Amino acid sequence: MTDNKTVVKWLNEVKELVCPDKVVWIDGSEEQLEELRREAVQSGEMIKLNEEKLPGCYLHRTLPNDVARVEDRTFICSRTKENAGPTNNWCDPQEMYTKLYNIARGSYKGRTMYIIPYSMGPIGSPIAKIGIEVTDSIYVVLNMAIMTRIGEKVLEVLGDSNDWVRGLHCKCNVDPENRYICHFPEDNTIISVNSAYGGNVLLGKKCFALRIASYQGWKEGWMAEHMLILGLQNPKGEVKYIAAAFPSACGKTNLAMLIPPEYLRKKGYKIWTVGDDIAWMKIGADGRLYAINPENGFFGVAPGTNSHSNFNALESTKKNTIFTNVALNLDDNTVWWEGLNKDLPQNALDWKGNPWDASKFDKADKSTYAAHPNSRFTAPAKNCPCISEEFDKGEGVPISAIVFGGRRAKCAPLVYQSKSWENGVFIGSAMASETTAAAAGAVGVVRRDPMAMLPFCGYNMGDYFRHWLDMGKKLGDKAPKIFNVNWFRTDDDGNFIWPGFGDNMRVLNWIIDRCEGKADAKETAIGYVPRPEDIDLTDLDMDIDTLKGILAVDKDVWKKEAAEIEEHYKKFGDKLPQELRDQLNELKAKLN
Ligand code: OXD
Ligand code: MN
């Protein structure tokens, strides 16, 4: 399909290494994809679901040992350990290439080598980039066809350029002992072996769009971030864009697809979704920061998704969607997961394909669940009822505000604004979330996850902070304003105080009003916090004193927080920018 010399050379080398029976280029045509779906159904790799209720939808099950990203087996193989930094696993690239080639050698015997040319971002967009993934899995081909823009047109845009990311995926025997997800940022290369789970094998997503792209952004002067992008439309019809970073399990997809409370809907407020997971941001000709969503679909967590928690996400999964590790309802050949509705299926197979006994279901015991807690849907973004009309436009949307957030029971107030870009970078660098009962391990343990990029930054995080500071200098007074939100403050009994979900719109409105100089705030030691009367409580069952409580900044709690940030900063050594040390010292001084 191409005579690009760098592509042809790499593909020949890969072919010689993996020894496939057959080679198939993925051209992006519906006929070819349909043929692959038929093949996958025939081999049992996918199950076709009820065509009337879920047209074009399929179910896939992974092996029970292969159900999530594997951070302990994910490596950044930069030329030096220092380039990977203190937050990544590192291995010498030559040593890792040798190890991976030994695992991959001959692993396609009896299999087909699929070659997927794909674009991250609308094809031809000045912010988009191109990759080629080689895989021996039809499931990967069909997921990539939803999550990215694929096919011949991509190669036309690439021409004879060498600016493309090499991605090799070998399923091998799905052996967890020999599973490696490896990135070679200086070589534009990703190699993933012995897994068939999405986050490890859809190489355009976390591997390229975050780990490799964050490195490229550093070198080329742009940003690849673990952020949703939403457009907030006001009653005048104006749309302002927000990019927001949260660690896993903080409701990113829900915020990206939020439905405002009724009284705001009636006034004409609306949220448009541009992206739910990743943002690529570049400075535009007018000096502002423009963002695209490099993805073309949603790889969302199924459990907990329902018409109340996220109507728009659920609607997105109603056609042309691949479900992974959810339960199969045999009564009508549809899917089910915990939290979808209260009707536990009485005749179903669990995510492993075994008969499921609804009478034994115990919320406290995950081993009784029908769907795996990390079961997923891969849904086309265009299915989403609130997808932004800017989604497919390559120039990106101008970002007014950047929002950080995490799960903090007592510490961060509902919302606050940083005092400057530098102060905002400080807030992002110290971002943290507390573990919940939903995850294994102790409850309430604080995990620092700078900019929600801890598992995704493809280079030294000290350099990454420096890059953020440099971007702020370039943007000057055109820089987006930076905020922090916390939907998760709890009362003494551990109950959430703020209702969250659609009511988060009340906070987004304050954020946009602040960007436009229309809302008031009170200066505190940590930044600008709204006065209670600045947050609209119309139609909400909450009194102003309760709101005052979750806007409060407790100096004793924050003194402890500052000490913990100091500890967190130690691991970056000399790479920690002095500006951030100064920010921490300023905070400490203000608290005393
Ligand atoms: C994801 C993640 O799957 O962040 O998006 O883990
Ligand atoms: Mn994510």
Side-chain angles (χ1 to χ4, degrees), residues 550-563:
I550 54 175
L551 290 173
V553 177
D554 181 326
K555 283 201 173 174
D556 288 332
V557 172
W558 275 91
K559 278 183 194 165
K560 193 166 156 276
E561 179 75 358

mmCIF file with all atom_site columns, all heavy atoms in Angstrom, residues 550-563:
data_model
loop_
_atom_site.group_PDB
_atom_site.id
_atom_site.type_symbol
_atom_site.label_atom_id
_atom_site.label_alt_id
_atom_site.label_comp_id
_atom_site.label_asym_id
_atom_site.label_entity_id
_atom_site.label_seq_id
_atom_site.pdbx_PDB_ins_code
_atom_site.Cartn_x
_atom_site.Cartn_y
_atom_site.Cartn_z
_atom_site.occupancy
_atom_site.B_iso_or_equiv
_atom_site.pdbx_formal_charge
_atom_site.auth_seq_id
_atom_site.auth_comp_id
_atom_site.auth_asym_id
_atom_site.auth_atom_id
_atom_site.pdbx_PDB_model_num
ATOM 1   N N   . ILE A 1 550 ? -17.365 22.683 52.471 1.00 0.00 ? 550 ILE A N   1
ATOM 2   C CA  . ILE A 1 550 ? -16.532 22.021 51.447 1.00 0.00 ? 550 ILE A CA  1
ATOM 3   C C   . ILE A 1 550 ? -15.689 23.019 50.637 1.00 0.00 ? 550 ILE A C   1
ATOM 4   O O   . ILE A 1 550 ? -14.898 22.626 49.794 1.00 0.00 ? 550 ILE A O   1
ATOM 5   C CB  . ILE A 1 550 ? -17.350 21.104 50.498 1.00 0.00 ? 550 ILE A CB  1
ATOM 6   C CG1 . ILE A 1 550 ? -18.528 21.832 49.848 1.00 0.00 ? 550 ILE A CG1 1
ATOM 7   C CG2 . ILE A 1 550 ? -17.809 19.859 51.210 1.00 0.00 ? 550 ILE A CG2 1
ATOM 8   C CD1 . ILE A 1 550 ? -19.262 20.993 48.820 1.00 0.00 ? 550 ILE A CD1 1
ATOM 9   N N   . LEU A 1 551 ? -15.881 24.314 50.936 1.00 0.00 ? 551 LEU A N   1
ATOM 10  C CA  . LEU A 1 551 ? -14.989 25.310 50.313 1.00 0.00 ? 551 LEU A CA  1
ATOM 11  C C   . LEU A 1 551 ? -13.870 25.718 51.275 1.00 0.00 ? 551 LEU A C   1
ATOM 12  O O   . LEU A 1 551 ? -12.959 26.462 50.904 1.00 0.00 ? 551 LEU A O   1
ATOM 13  C CB  . LEU A 1 551 ? -15.795 26.553 49.906 1.00 0.00 ? 551 LEU A CB  1
ATOM 14  C CG  . LEU A 1 551 ? -16.766 26.379 48.729 1.00 0.00 ? 551 LEU A CG  1
ATOM 15  C CD1 . LEU A 1 551 ? -17.615 27.636 48.541 1.00 0.00 ? 551 LEU A CD1 1
ATOM 16  C CD2 . LEU A 1 551 ? -16.017 26.033 47.446 1.00 0.00 ? 551 LEU A CD2 1
ATOM 17  N N   . ALA A 1 552 ? -13.941 25.193 52.488 1.00 0.00 ? 552 ALA A N   1
ATOM 18  C CA  . ALA A 1 552 ? -12.990 25.634 53.522 1.00 0.00 ? 552 ALA A CA  1
ATOM 19  C C   . ALA A 1 552 ? -11.589 25.076 53.272 1.00 0.00 ? 552 ALA A C   1
ATOM 20  O O   . ALA A 1 552 ? -11.422 23.980 52.776 1.00 0.00 ? 552 ALA A O   1
ATOM 21  C CB  . ALA A 1 552 ? -13.493 25.183 54.884 1.00 0.00 ? 552 ALA A CB  1
ATOM 22  N N   . VAL A 1 553 ? -10.593 25.890 53.648 1.00 0.00 ? 553 VAL A N   1
ATOM 23  C CA  . VAL A 1 553 ? -9.197  25.466 53.565 1.00 0.00 ? 553 VAL A CA  1
ATOM 24  C C   . VAL A 1 553 ? -8.689  25.355 55.002 1.00 0.00 ? 553 VAL A C   1
ATOM 25  O O   . VAL A 1 553 ? -8.495  26.366 55.678 1.00 0.00 ? 553 VAL A O   1
ATOM 26  C CB  . VAL A 1 553 ? -8.367  26.508 52.777 1.00 0.00 ? 553 VAL A CB  1
ATOM 27  C CG1 . VAL A 1 553 ? -6.904  26.117 52.737 1.00 0.00 ? 553 VAL A CG1 1
ATOM 28  C CG2 . VAL A 1 553 ? -8.934  26.680 51.362 1.00 0.00 ? 553 VAL A CG2 1
ATOM 29  N N   . ASP A 1 554 ? -8.503  24.127 55.460 1.00 0.00 ? 554 ASP A N   1
ATOM 30  C CA  . ASP A 1 554 ? -8.085  23.886 56.839 1.00 0.00 ? 554 ASP A CA  1
ATOM 31  C C   . ASP A 1 554 ? -6.557  23.946 56.910 1.00 0.00 ? 554 ASP A C   1
ATOM 32  O O   . ASP A 1 554 ? -5.862  23.099 56.343 1.00 0.00 ? 554 ASP A O   1
ATOM 33  C CB  . ASP A 1 554 ? -8.610  22.504 57.259 1.00 0.00 ? 554 ASP A CB  1
ATOM 34  C CG  . ASP A 1 554 ? -8.255  22.165 58.694 1.00 0.00 ? 554 ASP A CG  1
ATOM 35  O OD1 . ASP A 1 554 ? -7.159  22.591 59.146 1.00 0.00 ? 554 ASP A OD1 1
ATOM 36  O OD2 . ASP A 1 554 ? -9.061  21.494 59.355 1.00 0.00 ? 554 ASP A OD2 1
ATOM 37  N N   . LYS A 1 555 ? -6.040  24.958 57.613 1.00 0.00 ? 555 LYS A N   1
ATOM 38  C CA  . LYS A 1 555 ? -4.586  25.184 57.603 1.00 0.00 ? 555 LYS A CA  1
ATOM 39  C C   . LYS A 1 555 ? -3.809  24.000 58.174 1.00 0.00 ? 555 LYS A C   1
ATOM 40  O O   . LYS A 1 555 ? -2.717  23.688 57.698 1.00 0.00 ? 555 LYS A O   1
ATOM 41  C CB  . LYS A 1 555 ? -4.250  26.464 58.375 1.00 0.00 ? 555 LYS A CB  1
ATOM 42  C CG  . LYS A 1 555 ? -4.552  27.710 57.560 1.00 0.00 ? 555 LYS A CG  1
ATOM 43  C CD  . LYS A 1 555 ? -3.784  28.900 58.067 1.00 0.00 ? 555 LYS A CD  1
ATOM 44  C CE  . LYS A 1 555 ? -3.988  30.065 57.094 1.00 0.00 ? 555 LYS A CE  1
ATOM 45  N NZ  . LYS A 1 555 ? -3.392  31.305 57.558 1.00 0.00 ? 555 LYS A NZ  1
ATOM 46  N N   . ASP A 1 556 ? -4.367  23.316 59.179 1.00 0.00 ? 556 ASP A N   1
ATOM 47  C CA  . ASP A 1 556 ? -3.638  22.185 59.762 1.00 0.00 ? 556 ASP A CA  1
ATOM 48  C C   . ASP A 1 556 ? -3.535  21.030 58.764 1.00 0.00 ? 556 ASP A C   1
ATOM 49  O O   . ASP A 1 556 ? -2.495  20.398 58.628 1.00 0.00 ? 556 ASP A O   1
ATOM 50  C CB  . ASP A 1 556 ? -4.324  21.710 61.057 1.00 0.00 ? 556 ASP A CB  1
ATOM 51  C CG  . ASP A 1 556 ? -4.108  22.733 62.173 1.00 0.00 ? 556 ASP A CG  1
ATOM 52  O OD1 . ASP A 1 556 ? -3.068  23.435 62.097 1.00 0.00 ? 556 ASP A OD1 1
ATOM 53  O OD2 . ASP A 1 556 ? -4.967  22.844 63.067 1.00 0.00 ? 556 ASP A OD2 1
ATOM 54  N N   . VAL A 1 557 ? -4.654  20.767 58.072 1.00 0.00 ? 557 VAL A N   1
ATOM 55  C CA  . VAL A 1 557 ? -4.637  19.712 57.051 1.00 0.00 ? 557 VAL A CA  1
ATOM 56  C C   . VAL A 1 557 ? -3.626  20.069 55.956 1.00 0.00 ? 557 VAL A C   1
ATOM 57  O O   . VAL A 1 557 ? -2.850  19.233 55.492 1.00 0.00 ? 557 VAL A O   1
ATOM 58  C CB  . VAL A 1 557 ? -6.055  19.533 56.448 1.00 0.00 ? 557 VAL A CB  1
ATOM 59  C CG1 . VAL A 1 557 ? -6.034  18.595 55.251 1.00 0.00 ? 557 VAL A CG1 1
ATOM 60  C CG2 . VAL A 1 557 ? -7.034  19.019 57.503 1.00 0.00 ? 557 VAL A CG2 1
ATOM 61  N N   . TRP A 1 558 ? -3.598  21.343 55.581 1.00 0.00 ? 558 TRP A N   1
ATOM 62  C CA  . TRP A 1 558 ? -2.699  21.770 54.501 1.00 0.00 ? 558 TRP A CA  1
ATOM 63  C C   . TRP A 1 558 ? -1.237  21.810 54.920 1.00 0.00 ? 558 TRP A C   1
ATOM 64  O O   . TRP A 1 558 ? -0.351  21.633 54.086 1.00 0.00 ? 558 TRP A O   1
ATOM 65  C CB  . TRP A 1 558 ? -3.161  23.111 53.922 1.00 0.00 ? 558 TRP A CB  1
ATOM 66  C CG  . TRP A 1 558 ? -4.209  22.865 52.874 1.00 0.00 ? 558 TRP A CG  1
ATOM 67  C CD1 . TRP A 1 558 ? -5.562  22.807 53.063 1.00 0.00 ? 558 TRP A CD1 1
ATOM 68  C CD2 . TRP A 1 558 ? -3.976  22.554 51.496 1.00 0.00 ? 558 TRP A CD2 1
ATOM 69  N NE1 . TRP A 1 558 ? -6.187  22.498 51.887 1.00 0.00 ? 558 TRP A NE1 1
ATOM 70  C CE2 . TRP A 1 558 ? -5.247  22.342 50.896 1.00 0.00 ? 558 TRP A CE2 1
ATOM 71  C CE3 . TRP A 1 558 ? -2.842  22.453 50.704 1.00 0.00 ? 558 TRP A CE3 1
ATOM 72  C CZ2 . TRP A 1 558 ? -5.387  22.019 49.550 1.00 0.00 ? 558 TRP A CZ2 1
ATOM 73  C CZ3 . TRP A 1 558 ? -2.980  22.141 49.359 1.00 0.00 ? 558 TRP A CZ3 1
ATOM 74  C CH2 . TRP A 1 558 ? -4.245  21.928 48.795 1.00 0.00 ? 558 TRP A CH2 1
ATOM 75  N N   . LYS A 1 559 ? -0.974  22.004 56.232 1.00 0.00 ? 559 LYS A N   1
ATOM 76  C CA  . LYS A 1 559 ? 0.428   21.942 56.691 1.00 0.00 ? 559 LYS A CA  1
ATOM 77  C C   . LYS A 1 559 ? 0.949   20.519 56.511 1.00 0.00 ? 559 LYS A C   1
ATOM 78  O O   . LYS A 1 559 ? 2.090   20.310 56.102 1.00 0.00 ? 559 LYS A O   1
ATOM 79  C CB  . LYS A 1 559 ? 0.520   22.355 58.169 1.00 0.00 ? 559 LYS A CB  1
ATOM 80  C CG  . LYS A 1 559 ? 0.555   23.856 58.341 1.00 0.00 ? 559 LYS A CG  1
ATOM 81  C CD  . LYS A 1 559 ? 0.712   24.238 59.797 1.00 0.00 ? 559 LYS A CD  1
ATOM 82  C CE  . LYS A 1 559 ? 0.394   25.712 59.952 1.00 0.00 ? 559 LYS A CE  1
ATOM 83  N NZ  . LYS A 1 559 ? 0.172   26.107 61.343 1.00 0.00 ? 559 LYS A NZ  1
ATOM 84  N N   . LYS A 1 560 ? 0.091   19.564 56.820 1.00 0.00 ? 560 LYS A N   1
ATOM 85  C CA  . LYS A 1 560 ? 0.467   18.157 56.631 1.00 0.00 ? 560 LYS A CA  1
ATOM 86  C C   . LYS A 1 560 ? 0.647   17.874 55.135 1.00 0.00 ? 560 LYS A C   1
ATOM 87  O O   . LYS A 1 560 ? 1.589   17.188 54.729 1.00 0.00 ? 560 LYS A O   1
ATOM 88  C CB  . LYS A 1 560 ? -0.660  17.284 57.219 1.00 0.00 ? 560 LYS A CB  1
ATOM 89  C CG  . LYS A 1 560 ? -0.304  15.848 57.375 1.00 0.00 ? 560 LYS A CG  1
ATOM 90  C CD  . LYS A 1 560 ? -1.319  15.121 58.263 1.00 0.00 ? 560 LYS A CD  1
ATOM 91  C CE  . LYS A 1 560 ? -1.347  13.637 57.969 1.00 0.00 ? 560 LYS A CE  1
ATOM 92  N NZ  . LYS A 1 560 ? -2.195  13.244 56.856 1.00 0.00 ? 560 LYS A NZ  1
ATOM 93  N N   . GLU A 1 561 ? -0.245  18.419 54.336 1.00 0.00 ? 561 GLU A N   1
ATOM 94  C CA  . GLU A 1 561 ? -0.176  18.245 52.878 1.00 0.00 ? 561 GLU A CA  1
ATOM 95  C C   . GLU A 1 561 ? 1.158   18.805 52.333 1.00 0.00 ? 561 GLU A C   1
ATOM 96  O O   . GLU A 1 561 ? 1.825   18.158 51.523 1.00 0.00 ? 561 GLU A O   1
ATOM 97  C CB  . GLU A 1 561 ? -1.371  18.962 52.226 1.00 0.00 ? 561 GLU A CB  1
ATOM 98  C CG  . GLU A 1 561 ? -1.436  18.908 50.719 1.00 0.00 ? 561 GLU A CG  1
ATOM 99  C CD  . GLU A 1 561 ? -1.876  17.559 50.158 1.00 0.00 ? 561 GLU A CD  1
ATOM 100 O OE1 . GLU A 1 561 ? -2.112  16.624 50.957 1.00 0.00 ? 561 GLU A OE1 1
ATOM 101 O OE2 . GLU A 1 561 ? -1.948  17.439 48.930 1.00 0.00 ? 561 GLU A OE2 1
ATOM 102 N N   . ALA A 1 562 ? 1.525   19.992 52.802 1.00 0.00 ? 562 ALA A N   1
ATOM 103 C CA  . ALA A 1 562 ? 2.771   20.610 52.324 1.00 0.00 ? 562 ALA A CA  1
ATOM 104 C C   . ALA A 1 562 ? 3.975   19.733 52.682 1.00 0.00 ? 562 ALA A C   1
ATOM 105 O O   . ALA A 1 562 ? 4.900   19.569 51.874 1.00 0.00 ? 562 ALA A O   1
ATOM 106 C CB  . ALA A 1 562 ? 2.924   22.012 52.930 1.00 0.00 ? 562 ALA A CB  1
ATOM 107 N N   . ALA A 1 563 ? 3.945   19.145 53.878 1.00 0.00 ? 563 ALA A N   1
ATOM 108 C CA  . ALA A 1 563 ? 5.049   18.260 54.282 1.00 0.00 ? 563 ALA A CA  1
ATOM 109 C C   . ALA A 1 563 ? 5.099   17.028 53.366 1.00 0.00 ? 563 ALA A C   1
ATOM 110 O O   . ALA A 1 563 ? 6.181   16.564 52.979 1.00 0.00 ? 563 ALA A O   1
ATOM 111 C CB  . ALA A 1 563 ? 4.861   17.833 55.739 1.00 0.00 ? 563 ALA A CB  1
#
